[in-house]
Amino acid sequence: MNNPVKPIPCEIIDIKKESLLEYTFKVKTDIQPDHGQFLQLSIPKIGEAPISVSAHGEGWMDFTIRSVGKVTDEIFNKQVGDTLFLRGPYGHGWPVEDEFKGKHLVVVTGGTGLAPVRSMLNTCFENDGYVKSLTLISGFKNEEGIIFKEELKKWKEKFTTYYTLDRDKIDGWNVGFVTDYVKEVPFDSFDGNYAVVVVGPPIMMKLTAEKIMSLGVPEEKIWVSFERKMSCAVGKCGHCRIDETYVCLDGPVFNYTKAKYLVD
């Protein structure tokens, strides 16, 4: 029987600078996660951190990481050919096959919230007819914080896109918050056959969900993903627990009918 908490050494095969503070690390691995799941990345004697999978394929997996603490700072010191330790995948990802496939999909992201939906977006892009349509509203604080620049440009070819910066003005980008642009989505034309995904900081998800519901969207059509400090990732330590809910086990993806109650 495999040990669910035993880290596996994996070789870093590529490192890409995405923005001022975010890098994407590609590792060699046969692990095949579902869209939206996370893994625990660790460095011996330093610690570990839960990181969502931003892309995966045959024999590899991407993690887009923001340098914000001891473990991630140490990961940023790694070079191609070095080793990262992985365990997982954990949690419930996006219900792509059951809830999204064949529907009009609306995805709203803030900042690095684009990372947990990147692999799902690429699946929709690469498979014509996988969804009826896809609307992507993606916002960043400033130009220096933009990630996945090449894919943002590529997705415009097939998706309806609204890319926005909080205040910066640059060619091809809107100015403002993602909540300013959800009113542009023609929900009434979808005949109820749609789903909405919202990912970003907690306050952004709350305000965006409220704005979307004010347009007549039922809460059961909205899905969000929580970022928590998952330590054990198997529901034993309680670090990610909110009331009776273990985010590592029951999430990180939640329908908004449940997510609206998950407040610290």
Side-chain angles (χ1 to χ4, degrees):
M1 180 181 293
N2 293 329
N3 185 337
V5 295
K6 181 181 180 180
I8 300 171
C10 297
E11 180 187 358
I12 299 172
I13 56 177
D14 186 56
I15 301 173
K16 180 181 179 181
K17 182 178 181 180
E18 300 285 356
S19 70
L20 191 63
L21 295 176
E22 287 93 4
Y23 283 69
T24 294
F25 292 78
K26 187 185 295 293
V27 301
K28 185 177 181 181
T29 178
D30 291 325
I31 298 171
Q32 289 294 309
D34 294 331
H35 301 301
Q37 284 189 301
F38 71 96
L39 281 85
Q40 290 280 6
L41 275 58
S42 61
I43 300 175
K45 300 182 180 181
I46 300 296
E48 63 180 2
I51 306 292
S52 295
V53 179
S54 60
H56 59 89
E58 191 69 33
W60 61 271
M61 192 182 304
D62 276 0
F63 298 93
T64 301
I65 302 172
R66 184 179 179 89
S67 182
V68 292
K70 181 176 68 173
V71 178
T72 52
D73 288 350
E74 193 66 28
I75 292 175
F76 270 48
N77 290 328
K78 295 287 187 179
Q79 304 294 324
V80 172
D82 288 344
T83 298
L84 273 178
F85 286 80
L86 276 59
R87 62 180 179 93
Y90 299 114
H92 292 281
W94 304 109
V96 179
E97 292 294 323
D98 296 333
E99 299 289 346
F100 300 166
K101 188 175 181 180
K103 296 183 178 180
H104 298 277
L105 185 60
V106 178
V107 180
V108 186
T109 69
T112 53
L114 185 58
V117 298
R118 178 189 180 208
S119 64
M120 180 175 68
L121 290 172
N122 280 327
T123 293
C124 296
F125 183 89
E126 294 160 5
N127 296 276
D128 290 339
Y130 194 82
V131 292
K132 285 186 175 296
S133 71
L134 198 146
T135 301
L136 174 62
I137 304 173
S138 193
F140 300 90
K141 185 176 181 180
N142 50 42
E143 184 176 2
E144 289 75 20
I146 300 173
I147 59 175
F148 309 140
K149 295 182 179 70
E150 295 171 5
E151 281 162 307
L152 286 169
K153 182 179 179 180
K154 177 186 74 174
W155 291 331
K156 293 178 73 171
E157 298 172 9
K158 292 185 178 180
F159 303 159
T160 299
T161 59
Y162 299 91
Y163 300 153
T164 182
L165 301 176
D166 288 359
R167 294 179 181 83
D168 287 6
K169 295 182 179 180
I170 61 174
D171 289 342
W173 284 71
N174 299 294
V175 178
F177 302 110
V178 292
T179 49
D180 299 328
Y181 294 91
V182 295
K183 65 180 183 296
E184 304 295 334
V185 182
F187 289 108
D188 290 343
S189 70
F190 295 157
D191 295 323
N193 189 31
Y194 63 89
V196 182
V197 168
V198 182
V199 195
I203 188 61
M204 170 267 176
M205 293 195 295
K206 181 178 185 294
L207 294 176
T208 302
E210 289 175 349
K211 182 67 174 181
I212 291 170
M213 288 187 292
S214 75
L215 300 174
V217 175
E219 60 183 18
E220 60 266 22
K221 291 185 178 294
I222 302 173
W223 302 82
V224 299
S225 181
F226 276 64
E227 278 194 7
R228 299 283 289 179
K229 176 56 178 173
M230 272 80 88
S231 292
C232 72
V234 292
K236 300 299 183 183
C237 72
H239 278 78
C240 69
R241 181 177 170 182
I242 304 176
D243 294 328
E244 299 304 315
T245 299
Y246 289 84
V247 175
C248 66
L249 294 180
D250 303 317
V253 170
F254 292 95
N255 185 264
Y256 202 69
T257 56
K258 173 76 171 181
K260 67 180 181 179
Y261 297 114
L262 300 179
V263 180
D264 283 329

